[in-house]
Amino acid sequence: MPGTAAMSPDQARQDMVDALIGQRVQTGMEPFSPRLEKALRTVPRHLFAPEASLEQAYAPDAPVAIKHDAQGRRVSSLSSAHTQATMLEQADITPGMRVLEVGSGGYNAALVAELVGTGGEVTSIDIDRDITDRARHCLDATGYDRVRVACADAEYGLQGHAPYDRILITAGAGDIPPAWRGQLGPQGRLVVPLRMRGLTRTTAFDRADGHLVSRPDHHLTQFVSMQGAGAHAERGIAVQGEDISLFAVEGNVDVSALREALHGPRLETWPGVEFRHPDRLHLWVVGHADHYALLYARPGVLEPGPNGPLAPAPIPVLLAEQGSLALRTKRAVAPAGFEPATPTLGEWCSVP
């Protein structure tokens, strides 16, 4: 981002929105609706992130940490502007709507308040009293005192102000509890970062004939995990101390054989097919693979792939018998695409 400490907040905000628009053009996505673009250019994001510098607050793709637990893990954050804008575009909020937001950072609720206008209603809930108090203070200080803020467990929604035209979930959810569907209006839409076998995608669901139907637009993302009754624990295995780990593991794993395979020779095959959106392939793998996990390796621990270090962030792997596995890798293809390894699984590298 071109912003500097000397730049004004207004200029930093306009630069952020310009960068977000440029990202959508580059990836072939539809432009923001005029109403959402106006909201993004209006709400002072930096006043909802006083802990951050101006540059950090208006970085298009970076979240701002709000609170950590005793172990130093992030339990609340102001999501990146890119993620928030994407979810709001998925939600398609119009003036006069009644909206429930789960996860109270304040900024996102202010954007929603701009979208629903004075004739709509915005309710934001969070299980953490520190977070709701902080959100209340920031909203009042920026002129969005009409946003309702409550301390409540997201698993049960907030029945007192239902039904809602839109429900926005801003924490990683392992399931869709009955309360969310029950509190959604007849033509309502739920937008949720749904965690499926370790990978999180913001997915929009429309209510139709008493059930939910997912829309085709879904986007790979990361969120802090849901707390309270809806918390979802995932199994993890240390493969090599803290250097290599598996998450979202299903079934038994021969750890010693797996460790040997990761440091042994590998086989790469390339199909000559160009891709631009790898996350959609990941979703297919999540839905079809029988023996699946997410691999994390500290930088430098594994031999690099064609595009650099392998697994600096958790990536999907397929596990086979005798400790063999297939893991994601790719190589760049000019001008802006990539070629995935192996002809049958796409973006994967076989490690025998």
Side-chain angles (χ1 to χ4, degrees):
M1 179 179 171
T4 66
M7 181 177 290
S8 72
D10 286 346
Q11 185 60 56
R13 184 162 59 256
Q14 305 315 313
D15 287 350
M16 178 193 75
V17 179
D18 290 342
L20 292 173
I21 292 173
Q23 289 176 355
R24 294 180 74 86
V25 171
Q26 290 178 349
T27 56
M29 299 176 69
E30 293 293 324
F32 290 130
S33 68
R35 291 177 9 265
L36 178 55
E37 181 179 340
K38 181 181 178 182
L40 291 166
R41 294 192 184 278
T42 299
V43 179
R45 180 176 167 90
H46 66 289
L47 296 182
F48 294 89
E51 307 89 346
S53 67
L54 195 63
E55 186 171 3
Q56 290 170 332
Y58 285 108
D61 296 303
V64 177
I66 301 301
K67 184 177 181 179
H68 297 81
D69 64 13
Q71 288 73 44
R73 294 171 299 194
R74 185 183 300 180
V75 294
S76 181
S77 65
L78 180 63
S79 298
S80 73
H82 168 79
T83 296
Q84 291 173 313
T86 298
M87 292 183 67
L88 290 173
E89 196 68 49
Q90 288 180 285
D92 189 24
I93 298 169
T94 58
M97 281 188 171
R98 181 179 296 172
V99 180
L100 172 66
E101 177 199 47
V102 170
S104 299
Y107 173 70
N108 194 66
L111 291 173
V112 175
E114 289 286 340
L115 294 172
V116 301
T118 57
E121 293 183 17
V122 184
T123 301
S124 182
I125 65 172
D126 198 287
I127 197 171
D128 190 326
R129 176 69 68 180
D130 290 343
I131 301 303
T132 55
D133 287 348
R134 180 186 183 281
R136 179 74 278 158
H137 171 77
C138 291
L139 288 163
D140 289 347
T142 50
Y144 294 97
D145 52 305
R146 65 182 183 277
V147 174
R148 183 184 296 113
V149 180
C151 188
D153 191 328
E155 181 77 2
Y156 310 108
L158 198 66
Q159 181 62 46
H161 302 285
Y164 302 101
D165 300 298
R166 298 290 187 266
I167 297 179
L168 302 177
I169 310 300
T170 64
D175 202 352
I176 298 177
W180 298 354
R181 185 179 65 181
Q183 294 174 21
L184 200 61
Q187 306 298 320
R189 180 175 297 177
L190 166 70
V191 182
V192 53
L194 195 58
R195 195 158 176 83
M196 296 167 281
R197 302 178 83 182
L199 291 179
T200 303
R201 279 171 178 75
T202 60
T203 308
F205 295 88
D206 287 336
R207 182 159 190 166
D209 299 326
H211 60 275
L212 298 177
V213 179
S214 65
R215 298 178 62 83
D217 56 329
H218 47 79
H219 303 277
L220 186 66
T221 187
Q222 289 184 334
F223 274 85
V224 297
S225 299
M226 190 73 66
Q227 301 179 52
H232 178 70
E234 293 177 339
R235 181 185 174 204
I237 294 178
V239 177
Q240 183 176 311
E242 296 183 355
D243 289 336
I244 304 176
S245 305
L246 286 179
F247 300 94
V249 182
E250 300 167 355
N252 297 321
V253 176
D254 187 333
V255 173
S256 61
L258 182 61
R259 184 167 56 247
E260 182 179 351
L262 284 167
H263 290 293
R266 69 189 187 209
L267 172 66
E268 298 175 5
T269 58
W270 302 93
V273 178
E274 181 179 345
F275 280 71
R276 287 181 180 267
H277 301 287
D279 59 303
R280 295 176 185 176
L281 180 58
H282 300 170
L283 184 61
W284 184 91
V285 173
V286 166
H288 290 78
D290 291 329
H291 303 288
Y292 164 92
L294 289 174
L295 174 74
Y296 167 80
R298 285 186 173 177
V301 175
L302 298 179
E303 180 184 349
N307 267 24
L310 294 177
I315 58 173
V317 296
L318 301 182
L319 304 174
E321 296 179 358
Q322 290 93 35
S324 64
L325 75 157
L327 65 88
R328 182 186 74 184
T329 191
K330 62 186 178 183
R331 60 186 178 187
V333 177
F338 70 88
E339 181 183 8
T342 77
T344 54
L345 291 176
E347 190 196 352
W348 295 82
C349 170
S350 177
V351 185

